[in-house]
Amino acid sequence: MSSLGVRGLRAFQQISQRTFSTAACRRVANKVPEKQKIFQADNGMPVHLKGGVMDALLYRLTMSLTVAGAAYVIYELVTIALPKKK
């Protein structure tokens, strides 16, 4: 290996060590136990709605798009199967 390659490798090692060491110093609150309590609570709600209002909105949007897409596919199939007469 050339001296330039060794220097580049050492620089990369220093940068990577610096990146990982500074990331470890940050203190972030661990929210996992709180989320576990919410999602494991036996309250009769489906798990995909336990996240709150945003989960409910995303669920409704997804279901609306699915129904609209299915209706459009059926419309197109009927249109293809029964072409207009000239």
Side-chain angles (χ1 to χ4, degrees), residues 15-57:
I15 290 170
S16 64
Q17 287 174 353
R18 204 175 310 139
T19 303
F20 289 123
S21 65
T22 56
C25 292
R26 294 183 194 147
R27 297 291 176 197
V28 179
N30 186 5
K31 297 180 183 179
V32 173
E34 297 169 15
K35 294 289 185 182
Q36 282 178 337
K37 287 179 186 176
I38 292 171
F39 284 96
Q40 291 178 352
D42 188 19
N43 56 4
M45 274 181 108
V47 72
H48 60 274
L49 296 177
K50 286 187 178 185
V53 175
M54 194 62 180
D55 279 356
L57 288 174

Side-chain angles (χ1 to χ4, degrees), residues 1 19-21 35 42 52 58 63 72 75 78-80 84:
M1 222 178 202
T19 303
F20 289 123
S21 65
K35 294 289 185 182
D42 188 19
L58 286 172
M63 293 311 290
Y72 183 70
Y75 168 77
V78 169
T79 304
I80 292 169
K84 294 180 182 177

